[in-house]
Amino acid sequence: MPWQEALRNAASTHSLSQLGALLGYSKTTLSQVLNEKYPGDLAGVEAAVRCHLMNETVVCPVIGAEIPATVCEQHQNAKPSTSSPMRMRLYAACRNGCPHSRIAGGANNGN
């Protein structure tokens, strides 16, 4: 799979600790994934690799345009802001059925 190859390539030039910090997974998890022994949520690891190592883009239903998956992730992790109507719409959408969301309430949260 292309995402696994991207992870292998990155692991050949970076430590698993560095990759873990970037992807949000422990070096143990990444080692297990690389050795095809990971019993957990591979979809989550795949999403992190596609986002951070493969520069994947997604079409944001709120913005109505293609954005980098890393920007989508930033929107998902942002706190609500009453001073910005757009940030409030993004905050709500990320928690209420957005197909790209990896957080509770999102359509793609891996639960």
Side-chain angles (χ1 to χ4, degrees), residues 3-40:
W3 72 269
Q4 291 171 321
E5 188 62 31
L7 181 58
R8 281 189 195 88
N9 289 341
S12 71
T13 58
H14 297 83
S15 74
L16 291 182
S17 294
Q18 290 171 318
L19 287 175
L22 175 68
L23 299 175
Y25 286 90
S26 70
K27 64 182 181 180
T28 302
T29 296
L30 296 180
S31 176
Q32 290 175 338
V33 170
L34 289 166
N35 290 307
E36 299 181 11
K37 305 249 186 240
Y38 183 58

Side-chain angles (χ1 to χ4, degrees), residues 12 28 31 47 50 59 62 67 69 71 82 86 88 101 103 108:
S12 71
T28 302
S31 176
R50 288 184 180 281
V59 175
V62 174
I67 61 172
V71 173
T82 57
M86 176 61 79
M88 286 303 294
S101 182
I103 57 178
N108 195 24

Side-chain angles (χ1 to χ4, degrees), residues 56-76:
E56 184 176 76
T57 61
V58 297
V59 175
C60 177
V62 174
I63 296 172
E66 189 171 10
I67 61 172
T70 53
V71 173
C72 177
E73 185 178 77
Q74 290 169 359
H75 289 306
Q76 291 177 48

